[in-house]
Amino acid sequence: MSRPRLFIVSGPSGSGKGTLLTLLREKYPDLFYSISATTRAPREGLEQDGVHYYFLTHEKFEEMIAQDAFIEYKRYCGNIYGTPRKPVEDALQAGRSVILEIETEGMRDAFAQYPEAVTVFIAPPSLEILGQRLRGRQSEDEEKCLRRLKQAEEEMKRSGEYRHVVVNDVLEDAFAELDRIFRAETSDS
Ligand code: ADP
Ligand code: 5GP
């Protein structure tokens, strides 16, 4: 038997959240991954609406804010990102564990509403390696990479607020650690 939990996962852009969470979702298909809404444009050829994000106009996003449709929402590097409330509530109600992949301020707001949530911070081995990975991903231009790296420094300072910190150096080791945390936190005993 396993106990359904809400996991809140943060970490600087490029730290490997997407890579690690994809592996976790492959291993545990019943895990519900919350699809956030954003005003950011999709990464061409990589992201699909309704799969990676719900890509919304600013107008539509504001409309949903007014309807209290988000657990939390935040501005990040010029765009708004938010966690739609209903799918998360429905999944928890159905007894499924849920993952929110959100930035550090959003974690605070979500945690205030779900104090039983398990918080996990994915950290890069160093800011230098983070820079290499961000550039290697080739999803942002140099200006956007620099902006994200600056933001990363701020986010790293908040890693101490999380229950677990996973350093993503060697991918296999980081995944083994994340998997161990997942199993321990969802175990009944
Ligand atoms: P995030 O979702 O946190 O923005 P990604 O999962 O997209 O980060 O990872 C950023 C880049 O780093 C990707 O190109 C990914 O393939 C690569 N990457 C992730 N983890 C590792 C690792 N442990 N070692 C080397 N490269 C990695
Ligand atoms: P990206 O543009 O790289 O997909 O995401 C940028 C940042 O926004 C990441 O730190 C990511 O975790 C965060 N993010 C994604 N969705 C949400 C959300 O729904 N709420 C908040 N607060 N942050 C989010």
Side-chain angles (χ1 to χ4, degrees):
M1 270 296 280
S2 76
R3 179 159 77 120
R5 300 297 291 265
L6 177 66
F7 289 85
I8 308 179
V9 180
S10 306
S13 184
S15 63
K17 301 178 299 296
T19 306
L20 287 164
L21 292 177
T22 299
L23 293 171
L24 198 70
R25 291 165 69 189
E26 280 168 10
K27 183 154 183 187
Y28 304 100
D30 193 46
L31 195 52
F32 180 80
Y33 178 83
S34 160
I35 302 171
S36 294
T38 183
T39 58
R40 167 166 82 61
R43 290 178 184 139
E44 230 168 279
L46 289 176
E47 291 181 329
Q48 279 169 272
D49 187 41
V51 177
H52 301 92
Y53 280 108
Y54 297 109
F55 294 99
L56 305 182
T57 60
H58 274 272
E59 248 181 4
K60 177 70 189 165
F61 206 105
E62 298 291 347
E63 196 182 302
M64 286 180 69
I65 293 174
Q67 291 164 350
D68 194 28
F70 295 112
I71 290 175
E72 59 74 41
Y73 60 92
K74 281 287 167 298
R75 281 165 215 281
Y76 178 96
C77 293
N79 285 297
I80 322 181
Y81 297 78
T83 306
R85 188 186 300 280
K86 190 165 184 318
V88 171
E89 291 287 349
D90 288 351
L92 288 172
Q93 206 80 100
R96 297 173 71 182
S97 282
V98 172
I99 292 193
L100 308 186
E101 184 193 328
I102 62 180
E103 51 68 65
T104 50
E105 287 182 32
M107 177 281 279
R108 289 179 180 160
D109 289 354
F111 190 69
Q113 293 167 64
Y114 297 90
E116 301 249 296
V118 178
T119 54
V120 182
F121 190 89
I122 310 289
S126 67
L127 284 173
E128 196 189 341
I129 291 180
L130 183 69
Q132 288 167 10
R133 287 186 189 163
L134 258 183
R135 292 182 177 106
R137 188 168 70 184
Q138 295 187 324
S139 53
E140 272 87 19
D141 61 26
E142 182 59 21
E143 188 211 322
K144 288 195 176 124
C145 281
L146 285 174
R147 194 164 173 187
R148 280 164 184 257
L149 282 170
K150 201 163 158 34
Q151 182 79 28
E153 284 188 53
E154 291 307 308
E155 288 176 289
M156 291 294 287
K157 290 181 193 154
R158 305 200 195 118
S159 62
E161 293 176 30
Y162 288 72
R163 185 186 301 187
H164 304 281
V165 177
V166 174
V167 178
N168 181 18
D169 187 354
V170 176
L171 184 63
E172 291 70 28
D173 296 347
F175 179 64
E177 175 66 2
L178 183 65
D179 188 19
R180 190 195 61 73
I181 291 167
F182 178 74
R183 279 183 284 119
E185 294 286 8
T186 54
S187 128
D188 259 344
S189 49

